[in-house]
Amino acid sequence: MKRRNLLLMLSAAAMACALPAAAQQEKYQAEYRLSTVVGTAFPWGKGGEIWANLVRERTKGKINIKQYPGTSLVGGDQTREFTAIRQGVIDLAIGSTINWSPQIKQLNLFSLPWLSLDYAGMDALTQGAVGKDVFKMIEKAGVVPLAFGENGFREVTNSKHEIRKPADMKGLKFRVVGSPLFNDIFSALGANPTQMSFADAQPALASGAVDGQENPLQVFTAAKMHTLSQKYVTLWGYVADPLIFVVNKEVWESWTPADREIVRLAAIEAGKQEIALARKGLTAQDDSLVKEVAGLGVTVTKLTQDELAAFKKVVKPVYDKWALQIGSDLVKKAEAAVAASRKK
Ligand code: X2X
């Protein structure tokens, strides 16, 4: 073989070896878009920031995540977020199961009123067999789930009067989130629900177009809802609202296995930190956030077990109707997990 041919062959071989790495590198985008409904003033948005920072550090800037709060990549329409993740308009998200339930109806599970009453019950759902089933459903829908976070227990607030019993709900106009399950709950209680996005909710509360809303206390304070005429808060904790960290499937597959592991572990870590932030000031040991809300001149109402039971009784038919739509097996599994957490 002539020396020139040998050199050509050697350089071709060298190029072939170098190609996979180079091709791999080319597939990485300059920026990955992370969707959240709220910004970093909220535990949920902060969770996004923590995740993005961990990934950026640990991949040495190779995976550069930019956060888009306000669900701005879908014009604020939370109910379209999951479809946009699937289609690749959104690369990563930390989303509420409520907002994704129009696409995956089983996600309504977490919105069954008073399915779980405390954090132990919530953890039993997300960290156990139910959480695994839910991840499988998300995977089946073509999106890669990595970790759970939490928005928090959703409490009912309004501008008109204290809510202690179902009759107090009568005729009040409420902004509700994007699952028809919430329309059913509020209608059953005699209220007047209207579904709208979080972005639209704030001006609607400010103008008095609606009287009330339901969201965790962390959302109440971060969005300064006392300045939106929300003078009455009832701690009824009817829905716990977990969040899920996900990645678009094609984006996920474009990353090296080592980078995927970095992103996955960072999601788990960010999820834990985010859950701690979401629960801060809302535990038996430390209820400082409840006090903070009362300090804003808001009437904070805690319900007795009997008072709570009256609400549960009214919405029982809604629970039963939705349990069938979600799937009895999954609901039974969830109920059993919650019951077991109470025995501990
Ligand atoms: O829209 C809401 O109320 C919020 C921010 O809690 C959710 O996205 C579910």
Side-chain angles (χ1 to χ4, degrees):
M1 191 182 291
K2 284 201 183 119
R3 194 180 139 77
R4 204 174 72 96
N5 284 350
L6 183 68
L7 276 178
L8 272 175
M9 264 178 66
L10 282 176
S11 68
M15 268 177 70
C17 287
L19 203 63
Q24 197 66 262
Q25 194 65 45
E26 267 167 25
K27 279 195 217 143
Y28 278 62
Q29 296 166 203
E31 176 189 297
Y32 292 93
R33 306 196 293 179
L34 165 65
S35 176
T36 52
V37 176
V38 291
T40 51
F42 301 70
W44 180 347
K46 195 81 193 155
E49 185 180 74
I50 297 170
W51 191 21
N53 285 342
L54 287 175
V55 170
R56 193 174 303 110
E57 275 162 31
R58 293 173 185 177
T59 62
K60 302 195 172 54
K62 213 164 101 192
I63 298 180
N64 175 35
I65 299 173
K66 182 165 179 222
Q67 192 168 351
Y68 289 80
T71 344
S72 57
L73 297 169
V74 282
D77 186 351
Q78 293 146 242
T79 57
R80 289 194 358 238
E81 188 181 51
F82 193 78
T83 306
I85 302 162
R86 202 154 44 187
Q87 291 169 343
V89 175
I90 291 170
D91 300 312
L92 308 94
I94 307 173
S96 163
T97 53
I98 300 171
N99 296 329
W100 298 349
S101 63
Q103 287 78 38
I104 306 180
K105 72 170 190 302
Q106 293 96 327
L107 290 183
N108 281 297
L109 173 74
F110 298 105
S111 304
L112 282 175
W114 291 288
L115 168 65
S116 114
L117 289 169
D118 54 22
Y119 292 131
M122 196 56 220
D123 293 341
L125 293 177
T126 57
Q127 307 305 316
V130 171
K132 287 206 181 77
D133 286 357
V134 165
F135 273 22
K136 274 191 211 125
M137 287 163 203
I138 291 177
E139 246 159 45
K140 218 173 126 208
V143 171
V144 181
L146 301 176
F148 275 102
E150 190 169 288
N151 190 17
F153 278 103
R154 302 181 73 89
E155 316 291 7
V156 66
T157 80
N158 83 97
S159 60
K160 299 286 189 202
H161 53 244
E162 186 182 30
I163 296 172
R164 266 203 178 275
K165 50 186 187 307
D168 298 331
M169 303 279 292
K170 201 169 163 44
L172 288 180
K173 282 184 241 139
F174 284 97
R175 172 269 171 169
V176 291
V177 275
S179 161
L181 167 52
F182 289 85
N183 285 72
D184 286 358
I185 295 171
F186 280 76
S187 298
L189 290 166
N192 205 340
T194 313
Q195 194 254 309
M196 64 180 84
S197 71
F198 188 65
D200 291 341
Q202 299 175 70
L205 289 166
S207 71
V210 294
D211 305 315
Q213 62 89 46
E214 47 75 59
N215 249 304
L217 278 198
Q218 297 281 8
V219 173
F220 185 94
T221 49
K224 300 189 171 47
M225 289 199 186
H226 64 289
T227 67
L228 304 174
S229 308
Q230 298 303 285
K231 297 292 180 219
Y232 300 92
V233 172
T234 294
L235 302 177
W236 68 353
Y238 76 140
V239 162
D241 198 5
L243 304 174
I244 304 181
F245 290 62
V246 298
V247 180
N248 164 276
K249 196 157 189 268
E250 268 172 51
V251 167
W252 180 254
E253 283 167 1
S254 73
W255 291 336
T256 63
D259 284 340
R260 285 181 213 164
E261 195 57 7
I262 289 175
V263 174
R264 194 178 69 81
L265 293 177
I268 292 169
E269 207 171 310
K272 282 195 185 128
Q273 289 187 38
E274 191 278 332
I275 290 173
L277 290 173
R279 296 180 182 184
K280 200 159 174 259
L282 292 173
T283 60
Q285 298 78 29
D286 166 23
D287 68 347
S288 52
L289 193 68
V290 178
K291 295 200 178 92
E292 188 185 320
V293 171
L296 297 168
V298 174
T299 302
V300 180
T301 305
K302 288 183 192 156
L303 301 179
T304 63
Q305 285 307 316
D306 283 351
E307 284 170 330
L308 209 54
F311 284 92
K312 284 195 220 168
K313 195 174 161 210
V314 177
V315 301
K316 177 79 172 37
V318 178
Y319 186 109
D320 293 344
K321 169 186 159 186
W322 279 87
L324 287 179
Q325 299 210 21
I326 292 159
S328 301
D329 287 350
L330 183 63
V331 173
K332 281 195 191 117
K333 208 183 215 180
E335 288 169 344
V338 172
S341 79
R342 290 207 193 112
K343 282 191 202 111
K344 273 184 197 157

